[in-house]
Amino acid sequence: MNLYLIRHATAEPKADMDAQRNLVSEGKEEAKIVGKGFKKLGIKPDVIFSSPLNRALQTAKIIAQTLKFENEVVIIPELENGHSSSELLEVIKKYDSQSSLFLVGHMPSLAEFLSDFIGASRPQAFPFDKGGVAAIRSEQLRLGIWELRFMLRQSQLRRY
């Protein structure tokens, strides 16, 4: 299975509630760039998951639209900050027949997930800029054994 961990794109700095922060125009462009990058790399999702927070869901939907992904984005609370990698893995296990999952979430959780999945001890070593992507792969769905395939910053995706 391939997992693509994607940080939400640039959002408003403030809103009445943090969960309601929306993407700004720059963020919408960043999300399109992620989708275009995946398209150029020939990467297609079987499922796109998103945190329920507006900025992540908007990012996921723009990526889906750019890739002409026809299924609905699946909202899961396990992609919000504060959830463990074990909790996220339990959701992923329900989709074990799929080969490619996109997971749109937030920092610092994405770095923590990546660190736990690949068996690294320092999540701080994995900075995700807004609209950044990390790809990991494993045949077995358990923590600590996934292989890091690549990390792409927004500036690298823009080259595609």
Side-chain angles (χ1 to χ4, degrees):
M1 176 182 285
N2 295 295
L3 297 182
Y4 298 91
L5 306 169
I6 305 161
R7 184 177 181 190
H8 68 80
T10 302
E12 303 168 311
K14 293 187 178 191
D16 289 340
M17 293 178 53
D18 181 61
Q20 295 174 344
R21 289 175 44 215
N22 292 309
L23 295 183
V24 296
S25 58
E26 175 187 353
K28 292 174 184 175
E29 185 59 30
E30 290 167 349
K32 286 179 191 172
I33 288 166
V34 173
K36 289 176 183 177
F38 280 128
K39 192 179 242 181
K40 288 270 188 169
L41 292 168
I43 298 170
K44 297 177 183 175
D46 293 310
V47 181
I48 299 176
F49 293 105
S50 175
S51 150
L53 280 61
N54 280 357
R55 57 194 178 274
L57 184 55
Q58 290 170 350
T59 300
K61 286 182 176 182
I62 291 169
I63 292 168
Q65 182 180 32
T66 303
L67 290 171
K68 296 183 170 77
F69 182 73
E70 295 185 8
N71 296 327
E72 292 292 319
V73 171
V74 178
I75 298 170
I76 58 170
E78 290 81 4
L79 284 170
E80 288 183 79
N81 285 328
H83 288 272
S84 71
S85 298
S86 297
E87 291 173 291
L88 180 60
L89 184 61
E90 288 307 309
V91 172
I92 291 167
K93 285 180 178 179
K94 296 174 187 172
Y95 293 84
D96 67 345
S97 64
Q98 307 301 316
S99 63
S100 181
L101 306 179
F102 286 15
L103 304 153
V104 182
H106 312 271
M107 283 295 283
S109 289
L110 286 175
E112 293 164 1
F113 296 149
L114 178 57
S115 183
D116 290 343
F117 274 71
I118 67 172
S121 60
R122 290 183 10 101
Q124 310 87 300
F126 304 104
F128 281 78
D129 46 335
K130 294 189 177 140
V133 177
I136 59 176
R137 176 171 171 54
S138 182
E139 296 299 323
Q140 298 176 25
L141 302 183
R142 59 187 176 96
L143 297 177
I145 63 166
W146 294 67
E147 171 190 346
L148 177 61
R149 302 301 299 254
F150 63 79
M151 277 193 88
L152 293 172
R153 298 178 94 84
Q154 182 66 207
S155 60
Q156 293 167 308
L157 288 164
R158 287 179 186 274
R159 294 183 198 151
Y160 289 101

